Amino acid sequence: MTATRVLVLNSGSSSVKYQLLDMSDRSRLAVGLVERIGEETSRLRHTPLTGGDERERTGPIADHEAALKAVAEELAADGLGLDSPDLAAIGHRVVHGGKHFTAPTVVDDAVLAEIERLIPVAPLHNPANLTGIRTAQALRPDLPQVAVFDTAFHTTMPESAARYAIDVETADRHRVRRYGFHGTSHAYVSRATAELLGKAPEEVNVIVLHLGNGASASAVRGGKCVDTSMGLTPLEGLVMGTRSGDLDPAVIFHLARVGGLSVDEIDDLLNKKSGLVGLCGDNDMREIRRRIDEGDEQARLAFDIYIHRLKKYIGAYYAVLGRVDAVAFTAGVGENAAPVREAAVAGLEELGLAVDGDLNAVRGDEPRLISPEYARVKVAVVPTDEELEIATQTYALAGKNN
C-alpha cells in the first residue's frame, strides 16, 4: 500500500503551524498551531478534521522539540500518529533558499548546511526552519524530510530583474541580489488563476498581489516569475503591516548620521515600526477602514499611501509583462478587504482593468472573478493555500517513491 499522507510544518521563532493532508484526495486530516514556545503561557490548538472537536492545551512548552512531540501526541490521539505507515513525508516551509535551491529538496546534511549559511540574509526565519527540520528528523529519521523554499518560485527571474545596480564583485561576495518571498503562495495563486480562466498556466500572464501583514507582488509570465517586489529580504516592495517597503537607501544613512540611530535600531524601525503601523498606529486593515469611516485623516493617509504603492506595482508589472490576462488578489487583506481591491484598480480602466462593485462585495472561500464581463483584464480573488502547495510539492518529490 502506498503511503499518501504528508505532514506540513511551518516553524517560526516561537511557533509551529502544522497540517496533515492526505494527497490521495488532497483532503486535510488535522490542522493546528503551537504558539509562545519557550514561555510559561504556551498554547497548542489542535483541530481534527476527521471527526471530533478542537482541543487546546496550555502550559509551558520549552522548545520546538517539545512542541513537535506535543503535536505528535495530539495526532496520535486521533489515530493519525507520526508512526503511521500512511505517512509518506514531512514537508517544511523554509523562507530563504538563496540562488542554490530552485525547487523542493530532500533534506540531507549538505542541504542543512546551506540553509544555515543563509541565516545572515534570513536571521528571523531560517534558524527556526532549521530547528523544525532537525526536530522532525529526530522524531522520524526514516522519513523523507523535504524543504520547500519561499524563494524558489522566484529563481526564474532574469538577471535584469534579480540584480541590484551595485558593484558586481561585492554583490556576489555577499550574496546581495533580489530573491523574493511568499513564493509558494505566488506559485499556487498564479496556477489557480489560470485554472479559473480555463487556461493552462503556460498560456497566462498574471500579476499576483499577496496582501497580508507581509505583502508582495509578482509578475508571472506563462507560469514563471519574471519579477517580484521583495528583494534580498522581505523588507523591499509594498507598504506592509509593520514594514516600510521601498524607500531611498540614504534614509538609513540619514537616520544613522543625523538621528544617531544604531543599525539594530534602524532595522527594528523599518521592519517592526513602519508600514501601516508607523503611519497610523494600526496594521489591521479592518480597523483602519473603521477609522476612515469615522473621519480619521491619519488612517485615510495611511490607506492612500498603501494604495498608491500597490497601484505603482500593478502598473510596473503591466509594463514588464506587456500583456496581462489577470490580476489576482490573495492572502488576508487581498481576500477579505473589498475596499483595497476597488481602490487598487480604480483609475486603471485604460489598462483594461475594472472591478464590478457587486461582485467585489461578495465574500467566499472559492476563487472568483470580480471584474465585469467586458473587462479586457480579469480581476480575481484567489484564496491562497500555501500548505497544500507545500504538501503537493513534497509528495511529488518524495511521497510517491514510498
Side-chain angles (χ1 to χ4, degrees), residues 270-290:
L270 298 181
N271 277 291
K272 299 179 181 178
K273 300 175 181 177
S274 296
L276 291 171
V277 79
L279 290 167
C280 71
D282 273 308
N283 62 340
D284 188 320
M285 188 58 71
R286 294 164 297 187
E287 182 64 17
I288 291 170
R289 290 301 309 178
R290 184 194 64 77

Side-chain angles (χ1 to χ4, degrees), residues 26 28 153 182-196 201 206 208 210 218 220 223 328 330-331 335 365-367 382-393:
R26 295 159 67 92
R28 285 171 173 77
F153 183 64
H182 296 146
T184 50
S185 177
H186 287 278
Y188 177 86
V189 171
S190 59
R191 273 204 322 276
T193 302
E195 184 177 339
L196 182 64
V206 186
V208 178
H210 177 108
S218 67
V220 182
T330 193
E335 293 171 28
D365 297 326
E366 297 298 321
V382 180
T384 192
D385 198 332
E386 294 175 87
E387 288 77 17
L388 177 58
E389 180 69 15
I390 292 169
T392 300
Q393 293 189 27

Side-chain angles (χ1 to χ4, degrees), residues 95-111:
V95 166
H96 214 311
K99 284 180 64 179
H100 183 73
F101 296 112
T102 62
T105 305
V106 175
V107 174
D108 58 20
D109 289 344
V111 171

Side-chain angles (χ1 to χ4, degrees), residues 4-9 21-24 26 28 88-95 97 101-107 144-156 181-192 223-225 384-402:
T4 58
R5 292 177 185 171
V6 173
L7 177 64
V8 174
L9 296 177
L21 300 94
D22 190 327
M23 298 313 294
S24 64
R26 295 159 67 92
R28 285 171 173 77
I90 300 177
H92 300 265
R93 179 199 179 205
V94 179
V95 166
F101 296 112
T102 62
T105 305
V106 175
V107 174
Q145 310 283 332
V146 177
V148 178
F149 300 91
D150 275 9
T151 49
F153 183 64
H154 304 303
T155 57
T156 55
F181 299 89
H182 296 146
T184 50
S185 177
H186 287 278
Y188 177 86
V189 171
S190 59
R191 273 204 322 276
K224 294 184 178 181
C225 177
T384 192
D385 198 332
E386 294 175 87
E387 288 77 17
L388 177 58
E389 180 69 15
I390 292 169
T392 300
Q393 293 189 27
T394 297
Y395 189 62
L397 180 64
K400 293 179 181 178
N401 297 322
N402 281 335

Side-chain angles (χ1 to χ4, degrees), residues 7-8 16-21 27-34 44-50 54-55 71 74-75 78 80 387:
L7 177 64
V8 174
V16 175
K17 296 179 184 177
Y18 64 93
Q19 290 194 14
L20 181 66
L21 300 94
S27 63
R28 285 171 173 77
L29 304 177
V31 301
L33 169 67
V34 187
L44 188 159
R45 285 179 293 164
H46 175 86
T47 304
L49 301 178
T50 54
E54 177 179 290
R55 302 192 294 274
V71 169
E74 294 296 333
L75 290 170
D78 300 317
L80 304 169
E387 288 77 17

Side-chain angles (χ1 to χ4, degrees), residues 279-280 288 291-305:
L279 290 167
C280 71
I288 291 170
R291 288 171 54 185
I292 291 172
D293 291 342
E294 294 178 354
D296 188 317
E297 289 303 316
Q298 194 172 6
R300 164 58 67 183
L301 178 59
F303 182 81
D304 289 347
I305 292 170

Side-chain angles (χ1 to χ4, degrees), residues 128-162:
N129 302 156
L130 278 169
T131 299
I133 294 171
R134 286 171 172 150
T135 303
Q137 283 180 321
L139 289 175
R140 279 299 303 268
D142 59 312
L143 208 61
Q145 310 283 332
V146 177
V148 178
F149 300 91
D150 275 9
T151 49
F153 183 64
H154 304 303
T155 57
T156 55
M157 283 192 294
E159 286 294 280
S160 56

